[in-house]
Amino acid sequence: MKQSVSHYMMPHDREEDIEKTLRKLHLDGIENLIYGTEPALHPADGITLGCHLAYWPDWMDFYLGKKDFYEKDFPTKQSLMDTFGGTTVEAWIEKIRRNIRAALAEKPEYLVWHVAHCSLDEIWTRRFRYSSRDVLKAAAEVYGAGGEEVPQSVTVLFANIFWPGLDPLEPEELD
């Protein structure tokens, strides 16, 4: 088993310095947090074990075209552009592909794809519009549309967050 720590490489970080810290802590490497769509100018491929891909906690309404809901959290065209890379699902899928390619530049053994959905109002009310089954089905569709970027040599780990999706409190849905 390998031991790692999640780390977001800042522009001033030097791989050699991080590596010294990893050795001091008896860690094997980092889980690099890759949220952008461009490869790093200085990839940390020597210490990266895995990469966490970008995560959109509030995406189902946009994906399903439910404007009456998603316009509450993303009221302007610019907010959609900033979050999803465009105003269409196709633009968002392309942003996901670019994020995967940016992560692959780090030469990870694995990628982490978060499977969950929760809008701002759902966080506070705990009244979820979508079941875990709904989120799992849609996430599989999204992954199917963008996941072809991942080579066979890289494992994809699907991560849980305690919102509808890959919720370990609903194991029957995971099957």
Side-chain angles (χ1 to χ4, degrees):
M1 176 192 294
K2 294 184 179 181
Q3 299 290 319
S4 65
V5 64
S6 291
H7 183 75
Y8 181 82
M9 294 292 290
M10 299 299 286
H12 65 276
D13 283 347
R14 294 177 6 155
E15 186 173 352
E16 309 82 57
D17 296 335
I18 305 295
E19 190 171 21
K20 285 178 191 174
T21 302
L22 292 171
R23 275 189 300 227
K24 194 182 307 181
L25 296 172
H26 306 289
L27 297 172
D28 298 301
I30 63 172
E31 280 194 357
N32 207 334
L33 306 174
I34 306 295
Y35 300 140
T37 56
E38 295 296 324
L41 294 176
H42 305 288
D45 56 349
I47 59 172
T48 296
L49 296 176
C51 292
H52 280 252
L53 298 169
Y55 168 57
W56 292 266
D58 184 359
W59 60 276
M60 287 280 293
D61 296 323
F62 177 73
Y63 178 69
L64 297 172
K66 295 186 175 184
K67 285 180 98 169
D68 53 329
F69 288 114
Y70 76 72
E71 284 183 340
K72 290 177 187 172
D73 293 330
F74 309 103
T76 66
K77 182 178 179 180
Q78 189 60 49
S79 63
L80 286 173
M81 299 284 291
D82 292 344
T83 303
F84 297 104
T87 59
T88 66
V89 170
E90 293 76 21
W92 180 46
I93 299 296
E94 183 51 37
K95 184 173 183 173
I96 291 169
R97 288 184 184 118
R98 291 191 327 268
N99 175 241
I100 291 169
R101 290 192 296 266
L104 291 173
E106 303 291 330
K107 301 196 179 5
E109 297 172 21
Y110 62 90
L111 300 174
V112 179
W113 181 293
H114 294 277
V115 180
H117 167 84
C118 191
S119 65
L120 290 174
D121 64 313
E122 291 171 314
I123 288 171
W124 296 105
T125 65
R126 306 227 15 110
R127 285 188 223 115
F128 304 111
R129 285 189 290 283
Y130 304 105
S131 68
S132 287
R133 183 177 297 245
D134 296 332
V135 175
L136 289 166
K137 182 179 181 303
E141 292 169 4
V142 171
Y143 179 76
E148 74 275 354
E149 294 292 331
V150 181
Q152 292 288 325
S153 60
V154 176
T155 300
V156 178
L157 304 174
F158 295 96
N160 65 303
I161 299 175
F162 289 94
W163 304 121
L166 200 57
D167 182 346
L169 297 178
E170 297 180 9
E172 67 280 0
E173 298 299 333
L174 301 181
D175 292 339

